[in-house]
Amino acid sequence: MPNGHRIVLMPARIDPRKDQETMLRAFAALRESLPDVSLVIAGRRTDSNYAAKISRLLDKGGLGADVVIAERISDSEMEVLYQESALTVMCSLQEGLGLAAVEAMSWGSPVVTTDVDGLREVVHHEENGLLVPPRNPSALAGAILRLMTDSELMAKVRANARQTVRDKFDEEMMVSKTLKVYHDVIARQNHASGVGAGS
């Protein structure tokens, strides 16, 4: 990734429901207006066929030099990415709580997300982030461009996002992170003891 580039972060596993295809098409259009922007997709490949499709899109669009796919990334590294990114994007077709959006907002990374269940409950358009229709690369590129070129709007949504997290999500995030730790410990113990081997 070139030095000095601003980072657009997409925290999502490589999966059709997370719709990296729309993100890459939006990013290709965005580079025409903002050539100093790079994209980091932070998430593991969970669908090999879809991952291959994303790789082909990267090659076909000549995006490889400005797109990084970070599969193995620790929680502390993720926190640094949230803090260093210009903004965070989620273009999911469906979500549960949208925890990644809440985490981004808690670290002060402005968010652009799709207007779907699980995200619209977290992000309120032009208040603490921007919402766009799903599967719409031009709308997504336009929202990212708008936020990255409007410092007043950027400051507003960043401040409101942090307040939203403080008011509504601090306890939920703590519970979710605690459960994740328990699940990780159990998974490591099961792996070490051979539970599930051969199943």
Side-chain angles (χ1 to χ4, degrees):
M1 183 181 301
N3 289 332
H5 270 208
R6 291 178 288 174
I7 296 172
V8 171
L9 173 63
M10 183 182 189
R13 67 185 183 274
I14 312 299
D15 183 280
R17 289 168 292 185
K18 302 300 183 181
D19 199 15
Q20 280 85 6
E21 181 178 356
T22 290
M23 180 70 251
L24 290 180
R25 295 187 189 284
F27 182 70
L30 184 68
R31 286 201 314 171
E32 297 177 9
S33 301
L34 297 176
D36 66 332
V37 171
S38 293
L39 172 65
V40 174
I41 300 173
R44 67 191 187 283
R45 293 171 170 86
T46 58
D47 184 310
S48 58
N49 290 332
Y50 188 69
K53 181 178 184 179
I54 294 304
S55 294
R56 288 193 297 272
L57 275 174
L58 283 171
D59 293 340
K60 183 178 179 181
L63 302 175
D66 294 319
V67 177
V68 172
I69 297 178
E71 286 195 74
R72 292 178 176 84
I73 188 163
S74 68
D75 289 345
S76 59
E77 289 170 330
M78 198 69 223
E79 290 173 3
V80 171
L81 272 176
Y82 280 131
Q83 293 174 74
E84 293 186 347
S85 63
L87 56 81
T88 297
V89 176
M90 295 181 68
C91 47
S92 307
L93 303 180
Q94 60 184 58
E95 277 291 339
L97 168 63
L99 182 61
V102 177
E103 289 181 339
M105 291 161 68
S106 74
W107 288 106
S109 179
V111 294
V112 176
T113 75
T114 40
D115 187 5
V116 297
D117 288 342
L119 289 173
R120 71 169 67 97
E121 286 76 22
V122 174
V123 179
H124 303 135
H125 188 59
E126 296 185 347
E127 289 300 320
N128 61 4
L130 297 183
L131 291 169
V132 297
R135 289 197 177 102
N136 192 324
S138 61
L140 182 59
I144 296 170
L145 178 63
R146 180 185 175 198
L147 200 50
M148 294 188 76
T149 56
D150 187 335
S151 58
E152 185 176 331
L153 179 61
M154 179 81 86
K156 172 188 172 182
V157 300
R158 178 181 281 121
N160 288 344
R162 282 178 165 149
Q163 190 62 48
T164 297
V165 173
R166 283 193 292 267
D167 291 346
K168 297 183 178 180
F169 294 105
D170 273 349
E171 184 175 345
E172 290 181 43
M173 284 183 66
M174 185 164 39
V175 170
S176 178
K177 287 182 178 181
T178 301
L179 288 173
K180 182 180 184 300
V181 170
Y182 286 144
H183 291 153
D184 289 347
V185 169
I186 292 168
R188 284 196 296 270
Q189 288 175 342
N190 288 344
H191 179 73
S193 62
V195 173
S199 60

